Amino acid sequence: MTADRRITAFAAAGILAIGLGLAASADAPAQAADGVPNQMMWSAYDVGSTGHAEASAVADALMKNHDTRIRILPSGTSIGRLLPLKTGRVSQGWLANEVFFATEAIHDFAAQEWGPQDLRVVMGRPASYGLATAKDANIKTLADLKGKRIAYIKANPSINTKNDAILAFAGLTRDDVEVVETPSYAAAVRSVIEGRADAAGGVPTSALFRELEASPHGIFWPDIPADDAKGWENLRAIAPFFAPNTETLGAGLSEEQPAELIAYRYPMVTVYADQSEDEVYALTKAIAESFDDYKGATKVMPLWSVNQAGVPPADAPFHPGAVRYLKEAGVWTDAHDTWNAKRLERMKAVQAAWDAATDEALDKGLPGKEWEAFWEQYRKDHLGG
């Protein structure tokens, strides 16, 4: 059964069909002699976010160095950032962990009108994440989190998945802790500041963690040791895009007092797999070679150096056009090729499972409202979760 028949049978893709129709009618952007499109539109997080600030800094540098004009379309939701990329309204997305969720067809992307998205990464800087604890909660190691109050955020799978992965590192799940539900990222951290929770996950450089550091509770980051092979196996079973990272910047951290945390990619310059290899190559080269013009824009921009932002792991495989430039730049290795191939293999397995599950659901006459529960169980049975 074709994908078109499935979508028709489900009658659930109206908004995407409209967007795709609009994209198909648009002329492809002209390209300069260096291959960089004369016009680009990028989707990114909301104005005021680090992702938007970083996209703006890179856009300014590219417009300075190339014959191109770039506009940024901000959105506060994962669907709002990815839908314009799918429909062709934007050519690149500056995205976060929705890249992983979309390739795996989970959370928002388990809906029938979405399914596994064939995304590719161009570049993405490493960002640190950890579980910050109240220092007076006497949590010295991740194992000490057992029975403690951990802040989770309603309808925020990006944060909650990271928290689950860190718990898994210590052999724990949500059942082993007291989950404190909060409505937002800020509320999660404030629940620790106000003594209603013992730990909350986040990025150490967040101003909210500075408030926790200055509070009577103080702040502590339990280590996630890079040399704990079993712990990392457990963590990557939740999400394979994490890597070890020693962090010295942020609340309660310094060169003298670092913490071993996890690194993920945010933001990631993201495209669909069918985007032109030559165009992605030219964009990757332009971003990498404009580094000197944006590296001082914010404190984290130095992390956009090609040797840090141009290597896996990431939430999706790297695009062949990006890989071509990264090999020329001398940062892409055989080990990176192996990682990329494994990630591609996983994505193909998810796509095949989605097709088979869709056929089975249609054969059974499964009502659309039951699809997501059916797919979740099918994933567990055929993909291991």
Side-chain angles (χ1 to χ4, degrees):
M1 178 181 291
T2 66
D4 287 343
R5 182 190 155 196
R6 291 190 191 94
I7 293 175
T8 301
F10 283 132
I15 187 170
L16 296 180
I18 292 170
L20 286 166
L22 291 172
S25 67
D27 294 330
Q31 293 183 338
D34 59 9
V36 177
N38 292 138
Q39 296 184 40
M40 287 184 279
M41 183 177 284
W42 299 344
S43 63
Y45 268 69
D46 280 335
V47 175
S49 68
T50 57
H52 190 278
E54 291 170 47
S56 298
V58 175
D60 287 345
L62 264 58
M63 288 189 288
K64 173 184 174 182
N65 296 324
H66 300 270
D67 183 18
T68 186
R69 296 180 64 189
I70 301 170
R71 292 177 57 200
I72 298 175
L73 180 67
S75 175
T77 70
S78 57
I79 294 293
R81 290 184 293 276
L82 193 52
L83 181 60
L85 184 63
K86 181 175 179 65
T87 61
R89 185 181 179 192
V90 305
S91 51
Q92 289 84 26
W94 285 63
L95 308 179
N97 294 134
E98 61 262 28
V99 175
F100 179 74
F101 301 148
T103 61
E104 290 286 314
I106 55 178
H107 305 306
D108 290 341
F109 305 98
Q112 291 167 348
E113 63 266 30
W114 278 98
Q117 301 298 297
D118 204 17
L119 298 172
R120 299 291 185 272
V121 171
V122 177
M123 292 177 71
R125 73 161 174 90
S128 290
Y129 186 95
L131 272 175
T133 71
K135 195 170 185 178
D136 58 8
N138 201 33
I139 298 169
K140 303 299 183 184
T141 69
L142 293 181
D144 296 334
L145 291 168
K146 187 172 183 179
K148 298 294 186 178
R149 301 168 298 169
I150 312 300
Y152 275 75
I153 305 171
K154 294 177 182 178
N156 191 323
S158 180
I159 292 289
N160 296 342
T161 296
K162 294 181 182 72
N163 292 352
D164 287 343
I166 292 173
L167 289 178
F169 187 96
L172 304 174
T173 70
R174 294 191 202 187
D175 291 338
D176 297 307
V177 301
E178 181 182 338
V179 172
V180 178
E181 286 198 347
T182 62
S184 67
Y185 179 77
V189 181
R190 291 198 183 283
S191 69
V192 184
I193 296 170
E194 295 166 3
R196 294 181 288 106
D198 300 307
V203 178
T205 51
S206 167
L208 288 163
F209 287 122
R210 292 291 187 188
E211 291 185 35
L212 175 58
E213 181 184 24
S215 77
H217 298 290
I219 191 170
F220 180 75
W221 300 90
D223 279 332
I224 306 168
D227 59 0
D228 186 334
K230 179 60 177 175
W232 276 97
E233 180 182 347
N234 293 341
L235 185 148
R236 285 179 171 141
I238 302 295
F241 51 81
F242 293 126
N245 187 52
T246 300
E247 185 58 82
T248 60
L249 296 175
L253 301 174
S254 65
E255 292 286 347
E256 296 73 30
Q257 192 174 357
E260 292 186 82
L261 304 180
I262 59 175
Y264 67 107
R265 300 284 163 176
Y266 171 74
M268 285 169 283
V269 184
T270 308
V271 298
Y272 272 87
D274 60 1
Q275 188 158 340
S276 160
E277 181 175 329
D278 288 342
E279 184 176 314
V280 174
Y281 168 86
L283 177 63
T284 311
K285 182 176 182 179
I287 293 174
E289 296 185 358
S290 295
F291 177 68
D292 285 345
D293 291 308
Y294 60 74
K295 66 181 180 182
T298 73
K299 288 184 178 180
V300 299
M301 292 309 286
L303 296 174
W304 278 99
S305 65
V306 68
N307 63 314
Q308 296 189 80
V311 296
D315 293 45
F318 281 69
H319 193 281
V323 172
R324 194 207 315 173
Y325 174 76
L326 296 168
K327 285 183 176 179
E328 288 180 9
V331 301
W332 191 269
T333 67
D334 290 344
H336 297 150
D337 269 331
T338 299
W339 182 92
N340 226 42
K342 185 176 180 180
R343 189 71 186 91
L344 280 166
E345 182 180 356
R346 166 66 182 187
M347 285 177 59
K348 289 177 182 177
V350 174
Q351 292 162 8
W354 177 272
D355 290 347
T358 303
D359 287 343
E360 185 175 325
L362 288 172
D363 289 343
K364 291 179 176 179
L366 188 74
K369 63 183 180 181
E370 296 180 13
W371 163 255
E372 291 189 26
F374 175 79
W375 168 239
E376 182 179 359
Q377 188 60 50
Y378 196 96
R379 276 179 52 86
K380 290 178 180 177
D381 294 342
H382 296 84
L383 295 169

